[in-house]
Amino acid sequence: APQPGQKKGKKKVKKYEDDDSDEDDYDDENDSSDEEEDTPPRTSSSSASAPQLGYGNNSNTAPTPTPINSWLFENALKSMDHHWKEEFFATASDESVEVWSEHRSNPIQSYKLWGNDSCNVVRYNPAERSLLAHCSSDRGIGLHDTRANTGLKKTILRMRSNCLEWNPMEPMNFVVGNEDHNCYSFDMRKLDQPTMIHKGHVGAVLSVGWSSTGREFVSGSYDRTIRIFGSRSGTSRDCYYTKRMQRVFCVNYTADARYVISGSDDTNLRVWKARSNEKIGQTKIREEKAMNYRNKLVKKFSHMPEVRSITRQSNLPKFIKKQTAMKQVQKEGVKRKEGNVIKHSKKGSVEWSKERQKTVVKEMD
């Protein structure tokens, strides 16, 4: 390197003018290349022990997993559910509901019940080993027994149901997500009307999932929001959304019921807290006592309108607020029209009809 104060000199390049010198250099290069081929390359211990994983080196990449067994289906599948205890799984297609065994390539049983209706969802009951429930494209919800190969009950709703899930702690109850923006809880012993209507969404409900406690469930909707409902509550406890999240196609709880996992149309999986105000991590004894005390106070005074308005307050996007206000105007118009019909009709000829009774159109055996 040049010393300070000195000018930087030009690098001298040696030129070979003789042809003999060129040939000698060429021979020297060949000799050195032969020596390099004979001597193996030096590798450090760290590089020799650790394999280089890359896209170009196929020998070091992980092996491609192969399926243990495969089954060939005649029709396109729309839903699948595995038995809770036994080695069976059920599939739903455009023509039938089929029961398969893990050790056979052909279906064990095939059901074409109540006509050739297309089944969208099929679910096994967690308690009754031979009870299946399905949702069909003709707006129906059906129950059938796999032992007798016959249908038990079927009810037709006003609009089609997109999803169905059984309550894990109360196996006689199940919830469905409908195209009319509502979720309906049913008791399988009485399908003439729902036991509870869960409202709040402004788009079709595409997926529902129960928590392991059986006290609440989560729903994902076409309106790009996720709502958490209590099993005996008509309104949602929490509503989750983001600016970038699109239509929610699948939601479910984790096994400990502390988190909710959602999959949306923007090709992302998101993890949410089941309770938005819950602290993540270990809490001290004083903090836990203080939180329990505050929760008891809220529960004690929940009947007061001031406390109720605070607990139910939530920040929603403008789109949801506008659609909710529009639905409220439509609902008031329908109610006003029904009141005018009753007012101008003969006394006793027309009566007020409950909203739960309007949900079910007819029942089939």
Side-chain angles (χ1 to χ4, degrees):
Q3 298 296 329
Q6 295 181 357
K7 294 184 179 180
K8 188 176 180 181
K10 295 183 180 180
K11 187 177 180 180
K12 296 182 179 180
V13 180
K14 188 176 180 180
K15 298 182 179 180
Y16 298 94
E17 297 178 356
D18 297 334
D19 296 334
D20 298 336
S21 61
D22 294 340
E23 293 177 357
D24 295 339
D25 294 338
Y26 181 77
D27 295 337
D28 294 340
E29 289 177 359
N30 292 337
D31 295 337
S32 61
S33 62
D34 295 338
E35 292 178 358
E36 290 177 0
E37 290 179 359
D38 295 338
T39 59
R42 296 180 180 179
T43 57
S44 61
S45 59
S46 61
S47 62
S49 59
Q52 299 293 331
L53 298 178
Y55 294 101
N57 192 359
N58 296 328
S59 61
N60 294 330
T61 56
T64 304
T66 58
I68 300 175
N69 201 349
S70 60
W71 297 267
L72 182 61
F73 303 96
E74 296 180 358
N75 303 311
L77 298 182
K78 294 187 175 181
S79 178
M80 179 184 296
D81 189 42
H82 197 280
H83 199 279
W84 288 73
K85 296 180 180 179
E86 300 179 0
E87 297 180 350
F88 301 127
F89 63 93
T91 59
S93 62
D94 292 334
E95 294 185 358
S96 62
V97 175
E98 297 175 338
V99 178
W100 300 73
S101 174
E102 295 181 358
H103 308 288
R104 295 187 180 182
S105 59
N106 296 323
I108 300 174
Q109 295 171 335
S110 181
Y111 308 99
K112 293 184 179 180
L113 306 175
W114 298 288
N116 295 326
D117 52 345
S118 176
C119 296
N120 303 322
V121 183
V122 61
R123 291 290 181 269
Y124 269 106
N125 187 279
E128 295 290 338
R129 59 182 297 271
S130 58
L131 182 62
L132 274 173
H134 75 272
C135 298
S136 54
S137 58
D138 61 347
R139 303 168 297 159
I141 301 172
L143 303 175
H144 49 88
D145 192 351
T146 58
R147 296 170 298 183
N149 197 10
T150 57
L152 299 178
K153 292 182 181 179
K154 185 175 183 180
T155 180
I156 306 297
L157 306 183
R158 289 187 299 178
M159 299 190 72
R160 189 184 69 177
S161 298
N162 296 320
C163 49
L164 183 148
E165 292 293 339
W166 292 95
N167 191 330
M169 301 304 293
E170 298 176 357
M172 74 289 294
N173 299 328
F174 62 90
V175 64
V176 295
N178 203 270
E179 286 281 345
D180 62 355
H181 312 169
N182 297 329
C183 296
Y184 299 101
S185 295
F186 282 93
D187 190 336
M188 70 176 185
R189 298 167 294 185
K190 190 178 180 181
L191 296 178
D192 57 347
Q193 65 179 14
T195 58
M196 182 63 66
I197 301 177
H198 310 276
K199 300 180 180 179
H201 285 293
V202 295
V205 181
L206 302 178
S207 178
V208 293
W210 282 96
S211 67
S212 57
T213 60
R215 296 182 178 180
E216 58 185 17
F217 66 91
V218 61
S219 62
S221 174
Y222 200 84
D223 60 2
R224 299 172 293 178
T225 61
I226 299 170
R227 291 182 180 267
I228 298 177
F229 294 91
S231 59
R232 292 173 176 82
S233 176
T235 57
S236 61
R237 174 174 59 82
D238 281 323
C239 180
Y240 298 148
Y241 68 95
T242 61
K243 291 184 178 180
R244 296 188 178 184
M245 186 171 68
Q246 300 300 317
R247 297 163 291 187
V248 183
F249 289 126
C250 55
V251 289
N252 206 349
Y253 270 93
T254 55
D256 57 356
R258 295 186 59 188
Y259 300 96
V260 174
I261 302 175
S262 66
S264 53
D265 197 17
D266 56 351
T267 67
N268 285 328
L269 286 174
R270 291 179 171 87
V271 181
W272 314 79
K273 291 191 294 184
R275 294 190 174 273
S276 57
N277 59 349
E278 185 179 3
K279 182 180 178 180
I280 298 178
Q282 188 176 4
T283 58
K284 298 181 180 179
I285 299 177
R286 293 182 61 185
E287 291 179 347
E288 190 173 356
K289 289 182 178 179
M291 288 188 294
N292 292 336
Y293 179 71
R294 286 194 293 267
N295 293 334
K296 288 182 180 179
L297 285 179
V298 172
K299 186 177 180 180
K300 181 179 180 180
F301 298 101
S302 59
H303 63 281
M304 301 182 66
E306 294 84 0
V307 178
R308 192 187 303 114
S309 62
I310 293 173
T311 55
R312 292 185 178 181
Q313 184 180 3
S314 60
N315 298 323
L316 298 176
K318 292 183 179 180
F319 171 75
I320 303 298
K321 290 183 178 180
K322 289 181 179 180
Q323 293 295 323
T324 304
M326 188 181 301
K327 286 183 63 177
Q328 185 64 25
V329 172
Q330 294 174 357
K331 182 179 178 181
E332 292 176 356
V334 172
K335 191 174 181 180
R336 191 185 311 112
K337 181 179 179 180
E338 189 175 358
N340 292 335
V341 171
I342 296 175
K343 182 179 179 181
H344 297 284
S345 299
K346 187 178 180 180
K347 187 176 181 180
S349 60
V350 182
E351 297 181 355
W352 288 97
S353 58
K354 298 180 181 180
E355 189 173 1
R356 296 183 185 179
Q357 296 176 353
K358 297 178 182 178
T359 305
V360 177
V361 178
K362 65 176 180 177
E363 287 186 277
M364 300 172 62
D365 294 331

